[in-house]
C-alpha cells in the first residue's frame, strides 16, 4: 500500500503543487496562469482516478486501454508537457504480451524514474527504452542531468522501485555520478516468479521504454 500511495497520490500531489506554484509566478501572464491551473486540474483528476483504481486493486489507468509500450509513451508525453523536457521512448525486440504484474512493475518504475528526474536532475533530455528479449524484458530510464552519488540516495522512491522489481525475481541497477547524469535499469523475467514480498503489490503495471541516445547512463 505504501508503494501504491507513493507511486500515485504522492507523485500526483507533487505535480499539482509544482503547477500551482508556477501559476503563482505567472500571475501577470493570464495565458500562462490558465495553462498551469489547467495542468494542475488535470493532474488532480488523474490522481483521483488512480487512487480509486488502487483501492480497487485494478491495473494502472494507462494499461487499461493500451499495451505497455503505448502506456509508457502516454506517461512520458504527459510528463514532458508538464516539465518542458523532451522524452524519447524507444521499444526494441519483438513486442508480446507480458504478465500483468510485470507490466505494472515496469510502468511504475518509469513513472518513479521520471518523477525523480523532474524533482532532482535538472536534465535537458530523457530517454526511456523498453527492450523485449527472449526470456527477459528490460526498461532503462536515462537522463543527462546533474547526477548524484547512489550511496547517498535517500527517500522511498528508489527503495520502492527496487522492492517491486526484486519481488518479481528481477534486478534494478542505478548508475550515476555527480555531473554525469543517471541511468536506472530494471530487468524482469517475462514469466516472473512472485516472491512473498509481492503479495502486498495488488495492482499490476507495466512499462518498457527506450531513451533517446543520451551520452551516459543516468538516473535521479
Amino acid at each position: 500500500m505504501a508503494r501504491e500511495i507513493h507511486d500515485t497520490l504522492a507523485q500526483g500531489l507533487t505535480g499539482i503543487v509544482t503547477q500551482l506554484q508556477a501559476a503563482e509566478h505567472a500571475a501577470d501572464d493570464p495565458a500562462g496562469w490558465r495553462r498551469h491551473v489547467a495542468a494542475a486540474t488535470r493532474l488532480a483528476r488523474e490522481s483521483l482516478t488512480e487512487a480509486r483504481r488502487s483501492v480497487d486493486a485494478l491495473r494502472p489507468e494507462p494499461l487499461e486501454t493500451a499495451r505497455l509500450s503505448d502506456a509508457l509513451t502516454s506517461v512520458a508525453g504527459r510528463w514532458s508537457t508538464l516539465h518542458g523536457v523532451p522524452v524519447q521512448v524507444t521499444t526494441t525486440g519483438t513486442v508480446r504480451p507480458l504478465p500483468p504484474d510485470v507490466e505494472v512493475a515496469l510502468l511504475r518504475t518509469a513513472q518513479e524514474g521520471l518523477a525523480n528526474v523532474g524533482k532532482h536532475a535538472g536534465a535537458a533530455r530523457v530517454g526511456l527504452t523498453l527492450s523485449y528479449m527472449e526470456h527477459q524484458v528490460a526498461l532503462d530510464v536515462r537522463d543527462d542531468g546533474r547526477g548524484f552519488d547512489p550511496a547517498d540516495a535517500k527517500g522511498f522512491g528508489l527503495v520502492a522501485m527496487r522492492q517491486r522489481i526484486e519481488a518479481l525475481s528481477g534486478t534494478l541497477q542505478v548508475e550515476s555520478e555527480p555531473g554525469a547524469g543517471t541511468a536506472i535499469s530494471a530487468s524482469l523475467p517475462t514469466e516472473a516468479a512472485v516472491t512473498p514480498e509481492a503479495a502486498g503489490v495488488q495492482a499490476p503495471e507495466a512499462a518498457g521504454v527506450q531513451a533517446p541516445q543520451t551520452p551516459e547512463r543516468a538516473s535521479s
Side-chain angles (χ1 to χ4, degrees):
M1 180 61 75
R3 286 195 289 261
E4 285 300 313
I5 292 173
H6 179 272
D7 290 343
T8 56
L9 291 180
Q11 288 184 13
L13 290 171
T14 297
I16 292 167
V17 169
T18 298
Q19 292 301 314
L20 292 178
Q21 289 175 335
E24 286 184 354
H25 294 142
D28 296 329
D29 175 12
W33 184 89
R34 285 193 296 271
R35 184 174 66 254
H36 291 302
V37 171
T41 301
R42 185 175 68 253
L43 279 172
R45 288 174 177 152
E46 291 174 357
S47 296
L48 179 58
T49 298
E50 280 289 358
R52 287 170 173 161
R53 290 180 184 277
S54 294
V55 169
D56 293 335
L58 295 178
R59 286 160 66 84
E61 189 274 336
L63 290 173
E64 284 289 295
T65 57
R67 60 185 183 182
L68 178 57
S69 56
D70 294 331
L72 287 172
T73 298
S74 175
V75 166
R78 290 200 298 268
W79 183 91
S80 180
T81 298
L82 285 173
H83 294 274
V85 177
V87 181
Q88 180 176 327
V89 180
T90 306
T91 301
T92 67
T94 302
V95 177
R96 60 188 185 277
L98 298 171
D101 50 359
V102 170
E103 291 196 340
V104 170
L106 291 177
L107 183 62
R108 291 297 189 221
T109 297
Q111 290 174 319
E112 176 61 24
L114 289 172
N116 284 345
V117 174
K119 286 186 284 188
H120 308 300
R125 58 178 179 163
V126 182
L128 297 182
T129 300
L130 178 62
S131 304
Y132 288 86
M133 295 166 279
E134 185 175 1
H135 300 296
Q136 290 186 313
V137 60
L139 172 68
D140 292 294
V141 183
R142 306 181 181 215
D143 69 72
D144 63 354
R146 60 177 58 96
F148 66 102
D149 182 351
D152 296 333
K154 296 179 177 62
F156 187 73
L158 286 176
V159 173
M161 275 194 281
R162 192 176 300 281
Q163 288 177 342
R164 277 187 182 277
I165 298 302
E166 292 182 352
L168 296 174
S169 301
T171 60
L172 183 81
Q173 295 182 326
V174 179
E175 296 181 13
S176 185
E177 61 182 80
T182 302
I184 294 176
S185 180
S187 179
L188 285 168
T190 51
E191 294 298 333
V194 180
T195 66
E197 290 81 358
V201 182
Q202 298 296 325
E205 28 184 331
V209 256
Q210 265 187 335
Q213 301 300 314
T214 48
E216 348 199 9
R217 306 197 52 173
S219 158
S220 0

